[in-house]
Amino acid sequence: MRRIAIIVIAAIVIVAVGAVAWLIFNPGPLAFAGGSTAALADYHEADPTGVPAELAKADIVRRGEYLAKAADCLVCHTAPGGADYAGGLAFPLPFGTLYSTNITADKDTGIGNYTDQEFLNAVQRGILKDGTRLYPAMPYTSYTFMSDNDALAIKAYLFSLPIARVQNRRDTLQFPFNQRWTMIFWSWAFNPDMRFAPNIAKSAEWNRGAYIAEALAHCGECHTPRNLAFALDNRRKFAGAVAAGWRAYDITSDRDMGIGSWSDEELFAYLAKGHAMGRGTASGPMGEAVDHSFSQMEPADIRALVTYLRSIPAVASSEPATIAPPAPVSPKEGGAVANSLGLKVFEQACASCHSWTGVSALSPFATISGTRTVNDPNATNVAQIVISGTRRSTPGAMSMPAFGSTYSDAEIAAVANYVTGRFGSTASKLTAKEVNDLRGQTAR
């Protein structure tokens, strides 16, 4: 009886928090744009959903392949060393670990028995075939804006791939977070369960970019902060957040810490190739998104995405608004000289590629001077890059080896603090414990 009482109380709390958060914190992701919307059937400009014009006459499997890449399905549903789309990728949380599921067409362990409607229920509503509720680690609150036709094209593509008979791993969430049925109430509050409706006051290109950003690429899932109920807080849309142990930066039109000062070509290059000269190189989850999603898109879709991002209102940031210039050539000059341990590690592992100035003679991908990463006083991504390295597959990209097994938590904290102190505007104060915590937050 006590257990039942706890479950009931937990459900009531979730409902109450969800309802309040819905009313106070959660405007829709497109509410900022104003104007009126129209149903797709009544919209007379180019259809913002589907595939680019170049693929419009392709068969459903080819179209589904493009859309699956735009939706970045592969990264989350493939474990290191595992079969594509067979699931098993671990998502560590403070109260346990979630594992992604097998979405190959295997009838016993995957989705081979799913009807079209059951697939739509999973993608757009977070409900599996047997009625089990998904946690929003699966971004169904973004995919809910995906058209039925696009979702079913993705299904056709997944069903065309080799079958992987891989049992789904059991989640290890602690009570009461392991009570999936409570997601009924969370979804009621935070999943609008509606398809994308074009804004008739905006251009066709803007609407295409909005569809890519919100329905397919689900940019807000990483770049938008969460409210108290762990739903996206669209009042601070795209203002930056920490996701999977990495900092997803402000991508609003703020000129200081957002992308307001970036040129269209810089934005295009960063999305399409994962690097913009003088701005930085994509790493971690963003590097994966570039390699497996954005770099696979047609240029017109990337430009539409740039157009949409330009319209996101600026959100003031508490981060420093200045970007430090290149450091002196001599390691005896400049910031962080007193950090002897950090200097030692940087000299051993970093200086040969990144140089003492931060401007690499080896490759623009290795230039760290002027980037937001080294100017972030939290040093989150600096530490993660040292721990995990960067494994890039986009043509022309340069990867960096991982040093997580080479150096201790204290050494990684020291070198991260050294890097932000020497090449950034403010030295970080990362501790060994914080580095250890970061190691445990990344998907694996």
Side-chain angles (χ1 to χ4, degrees):
M1 291 299 294
R2 183 180 179 184
R3 181 181 178 88
I4 293 173
I6 291 173
I7 292 173
V8 171
I9 292 171
I12 293 172
V13 170
I14 289 172
V15 171
V17 170
V20 171
W22 173 260
L23 294 172
I24 298 176
F25 297 112
N26 201 48
L30 295 166
F32 74 92
S36 300
T37 59
L40 278 174
D42 300 324
Y43 185 63
H44 302 300
E45 300 292 336
D47 186 350
T49 68
V51 296
E54 295 85 348
L55 295 173
K57 295 182 180 180
D59 63 70
I60 189 172
V61 171
R62 178 67 186 89
R63 286 183 277 122
E65 179 183 14
Y66 184 91
L67 294 165
K69 289 178 179 178
D72 210 11
C73 305
L74 176 67
V75 168
C76 287
H77 285 277
T78 305
D84 287 356
Y85 297 104
L89 184 68
F91 294 88
L93 301 169
F95 36 82
T97 301
L98 283 174
Y99 294 93
S100 63
T101 56
N102 183 344
I103 58 170
T104 71
D106 183 70
K107 292 186 177 182
D108 295 320
T109 63
I111 60 172
N113 286 320
Y114 274 56
T115 66
D116 286 354
Q117 187 57 58
E118 288 166 344
F119 187 81
L120 293 175
N121 287 341
V123 171
Q124 299 169 337
R125 301 172 185 90
I127 306 172
L128 296 180
K129 179 182 178 68
D130 63 1
T132 299
R133 293 280 174 161
L134 290 171
Y135 293 102
M138 156 61 173
Y140 63 87
T141 56
S142 292
Y143 289 158
T144 193
F145 297 106
M146 194 186 303
S147 73
D148 290 0
N149 286 340
D150 285 358
L152 294 178
I154 291 175
K155 176 176 180 277
Y157 169 64
L158 293 175
F159 275 54
S160 76
L161 298 175
I163 291 173
R165 188 177 179 82
V166 179
Q167 291 289 343
N168 291 313
R169 299 187 63 178
R170 291 181 63 86
D171 302 327
T172 62
L173 301 186
Q174 302 168 4
F175 183 83
F177 303 103
N178 61 353
Q179 301 298 305
R180 283 182 177 263
W181 64 270
T182 61
M183 293 308 299
I184 295 172
F185 306 106
W186 191 93
S187 294
W188 170 80
F190 297 115
N191 183 23
D193 191 12
M194 60 187 296
R195 312 296 85 80
F196 182 82
N199 188 321
I200 60 176
K202 300 293 186 179
S203 68
E205 184 176 55
W206 185 94
N207 277 293
R208 176 61 176 172
Y211 184 74
I212 293 170
E214 304 297 346
L216 294 175
H218 53 280
C219 305
E221 299 289 339
C222 289
H223 288 277
T224 297
R226 303 269 171 176
N227 62 23
L228 293 176
F230 299 100
L232 298 182
D233 179 4
N234 285 311
R235 293 185 183 278
R236 293 180 55 79
K237 182 178 178 65
F238 290 1
V242 174
W246 289 76
R247 182 170 295 278
Y249 292 113
D250 182 332
I251 54 171
T252 71
S253 55
D254 181 74
R255 292 190 61 82
D256 293 324
M257 296 310 292
I259 57 173
S261 64
W262 291 42
S263 70
D264 287 354
E265 290 308 312
E266 287 172 334
L267 280 172
F268 180 90
Y270 190 85
L271 290 168
K273 299 179 180 179
H275 176 77
M277 191 71 70
R279 298 294 187 179
T281 301
S283 302
M286 187 63 198
E288 292 176 335
V290 170
D291 285 348
H292 298 287
S293 182
F294 295 123
S295 67
Q296 309 296 313
M297 294 186 191
E298 291 292 328
D301 274 353
I302 299 296
R303 296 200 183 280
L305 182 55
V306 170
T307 295
Y308 176 69
L309 291 176
R310 287 289 191 211
S311 73
I312 308 300
V315 177
S317 174
S318 60
E319 296 177 350
T322 56
I323 300 293
V329 174
S330 172
K332 296 180 180 180
E333 302 175 5
V337 173
N339 183 347
S340 58
L341 178 58
L343 186 153
K344 176 183 176 182
V345 175
F346 187 86
E347 183 175 25
Q348 290 174 342
C350 315
S352 60
C353 288
H354 299 295
S355 88
W356 291 105
T357 66
V359 179
S360 175
L362 185 63
S363 168
F365 280 80
T367 290
I368 57 177
S369 177
T371 65
R372 283 192 290 185
T373 297
V374 300
N375 284 277
D376 176 6
N378 298 291
T380 301
N381 289 3
V382 173
Q384 288 287 27
I385 291 170
V386 175
I387 293 168
S388 305
T390 60
R391 297 177 295 275
R392 299 296 312 285
S393 60
T394 303
M398 182 179 182
S399 297
M400 172 181 148
F403 292 97
S405 61
T406 305
Y407 291 103
S408 67
D409 293 340
E411 290 170 321
I412 291 174
V415 75
N417 295 334
Y418 178 81
V419 166
T420 56
R422 181 172 181 82
F423 305 106
S425 55
T426 304
S428 57
K429 298 179 180 179
L430 202 64
T431 66
K433 181 182 182 305
E434 289 171 328
V435 170
N436 185 262
D437 290 343
L438 289 174
R439 288 182 188 269
Q441 292 177 35
T442 55
R444 57 181 185 271

